[in-house]
Amino acid sequence: MSKLIRGFVPLLFSANLFAHGISEEAKQAMIDGGLLRYVWLGAEHMITGYDHLLFLFGVIFFLKTFKDIVRFISIFTLGHSITLIFATFMGITANYWLVDAVIAISVIYKGFDNNKGFQEYFGMNKSPSLLWMVFIFGLIHGFGLSTRLQQLPLGEKGSGMLMRIISFNIGVELGQIVALAIMLLIITQLRRHHMFKRLSRVFNDGIMLAGFMLLLMQLHGYLHTSGPDEFGFSEDNHMHHHMKLENEQEYQHDNL
């Protein structure tokens, strides 16, 4: 167990925690390695995928029985497996920043739902079916994973490509199991606190805030970067981009 923990700790502090793309080193590792490389990268991508983890944390936050946890996680797994495998194999893709922006919205949705937002703000008797919403968001999360997987050298369509995709998905599931084990441990400890019910609203407000910040980050990435491994806040071209826009506006104004 200690070896397993030591093996996963570096992943939690890897660059992928802040850049949700796939590095050139990882791409080269895929070329040099076999299917196990894809399994490892899938696990790494899930464990360092802060948006996926936040959504999962929100889903299981109020689930008390093992049966319910298995039911909801299974439907989420089914959803993201469908789009991960089929979208990748069929070459269906979309702008990664916009897909991740929708994933960020799913995080906001779950925190809002956990805090009974539909009842308090919309006067609804109950929230939309959680099982269906988890499945739908699972499809979206899987599409997000697919956009990353399609950056890798998967080869020509055929059994080899399919096995690489399946290997990546197996890694995602293994990473999800590890992440869920940690989350359940945290939530179990929180439930033992006498102020859990009172603090649960604060925790879910935090989930919504985190989702909102992720949404802003993804939209910023869509507007100011050209690749999933870039992020414009720390780049000089961020300021240059705005200066260029201002200069163009001044030029147009002077020529009116």
Side-chain angles (χ1 to χ4, degrees), residues 1-203:
M1 179 62 74
S2 61
K3 289 182 179 179
L4 180 64
I5 294 173
R6 285 198 299 271
F8 278 105
V9 164
L11 299 181
L12 299 176
F13 297 94
S14 69
N16 280 340
L17 185 61
F18 301 101
H20 204 32
I22 295 175
S23 67
E24 290 301 321
E25 291 81 4
K27 293 177 186 177
Q28 188 60 44
M30 296 303 102
I31 297 173
D32 298 336
L35 296 179
L36 285 177
R37 291 280 189 176
Y38 286 86
V39 174
W40 178 259
L41 186 63
E44 178 184 17
H45 200 75
M46 174 55 78
I47 291 178
T48 58
Y50 37 79
D51 44 6
H52 300 291
L53 298 182
L54 279 170
F55 180 75
L56 281 175
F57 191 77
V59 168
I60 68 172
F61 194 85
F62 286 120
L63 299 182
K64 295 181 180 180
T65 67
F66 181 74
K67 179 181 177 181
D68 282 340
I69 292 171
V70 169
R71 188 160 60 106
F72 281 98
I73 296 306
S74 296
I75 201 71
F76 178 74
T77 298
L78 175 64
H80 77 234
S81 295
I82 289 172
T83 44
L84 171 59
I85 293 172
F86 286 100
T88 306
F89 192 76
M90 300 303 295
I92 303 170
T93 189
N95 184 281
Y96 30 73
W97 294 112
L98 293 182
V99 175
D100 281 358
V102 177
I103 292 175
I105 291 173
S106 76
V107 175
I108 299 171
Y109 175 94
K110 198 66 205 78
F112 182 78
D113 183 31
N114 283 353
N115 276 344
K116 300 189 180 299
F118 288 99
Q119 289 86 343
E120 292 184 10
Y121 294 97
F122 298 108
M124 298 171 62
N125 292 326
K126 60 180 182 178
S127 304
S129 170
L130 181 57
L131 204 61
W132 274 108
M133 294 307 299
V134 169
F135 177 69
I136 291 169
F137 284 131
L139 293 172
I140 298 169
H141 281 242
F143 194 42
L145 290 166
S146 176
T147 61
R148 298 302 181 270
L149 183 54
Q150 290 185 60
Q151 298 171 42
L152 297 178
L154 295 171
E156 297 296 325
K157 281 187 180 180
S159 60
M161 177 181 177
L162 182 60
M163 285 307 300
R164 293 184 184 96
I165 296 171
I166 292 174
S167 296
F168 184 87
N169 191 54
I170 290 172
V172 167
E173 306 315 327
L174 291 174
Q176 182 173 266
I177 290 171
V178 173
L180 281 171
I182 297 172
M183 289 179 195
L184 289 172
L185 181 63
I186 293 171
I187 292 176
T188 300
Q189 295 301 317
L190 288 174
R191 283 205 182 105
R192 292 176 179 173
H193 198 283
H194 68 282
M195 292 186 67
F196 173 73
K197 288 185 179 179
R198 220 176 263 184
L199 291 174
S200 64
R201 188 174 188 90
V202 176
F203 277 107

